[in-house]
Amino acid sequence: MAENKEDLYELIYQIVRKIPKGRVTSYGAIAAAIGAKSGARVVGYAMFSAGSAKPKVPAHRVVNRIGLLTGKHHFNPPSKMQELLEKEGVTVKDDKVADFKTRFWDPAVELSM
DNA sequence: AACATGACGTCGC
DNA sequence: AGCGACGCCATGT
C-alpha cells in the first residue's frame, strides 16, 4: 500500500476499472478499499477528475451507498449512465439501482484486500 | 500563490 | 427519526 497523494486518484481509477460488468459499487466501499477512511468524499472528488482520467473510467458503475445515480448528471448525456447500466444488465429504477445490495461489488473483497 | 468548487458518508443533536 | 455540520483531496482559474 505505498500510495502517494498523486496516486490516490489513480488507485481509485484502477479499482473502478476493475468493476465487473453488471456490478456496481459505492464510493464508501472504494474509500475503504484504498484506506481513505475519512473520505468517501475524496472518492467522489476523484470521480469528478475521472473525466480527465485515461483511459476513461466506467464511473457509471459507481453510485452512492444507497445505489442512487448521483453522478449521472455528470455524464454525456446524463441519461447515458442509466442506459449503460441497464445495457449491462443492471436494472435502474428512478435513478436508483434495483437490488443494489445484491449487485453490490465490494473491491475490498474482490481484490483480496 | 490563494480561493473556490466538486460524483459522499458518518456522527451528533 | 429527521436534519445539520464536519472531514478530505485534487484541479482549475
Side-chain angles (χ1 to χ4, degrees), chain A residues 61-96:
Chain A
R61 296 180 186 147
V62 185
V63 295
N64 65 354
R65 82 169 190 87
I66 57 177
L68 183 68
L69 309 186
T70 50
K72 71 160 191 178
H73 205 272
H74 288 255
F75 271 77
N76 106 110
S79 19
K80 185 73 174 290
M81 185 176 187
Q82 181 172 331
E83 289 213 11
L84 285 169
L85 288 171
E86 290 184 326
K87 204 168 297 187
E88 293 188 350
V90 179
T91 305
V92 180
K93 192 157 193 103
D94 193 30
D95 291 343
K96 286 173 302 211

Side-chain angles (χ1 to χ4, degrees), chain A residues 24-78:
Chain A
V24 286
T25 191
S26 64
Y27 299 94
I30 298 173
I34 65 176
K37 50 187 182 287
S38 47
R41 242 185 173 178
V42 180
V43 179
Y45 295 158
M47 291 288 96
F48 182 79
S49 279
S52 285
K54 284 157 297 212
K56 298 251 166 105
V57 186
H60 60 276
R61 296 180 186 147
V62 185
V63 295
N64 65 354
R65 82 169 190 87
I66 57 177
L68 183 68
L69 309 186
T70 50
K72 71 160 191 178
H73 205 272
H74 288 255
F75 271 77
N76 106 110

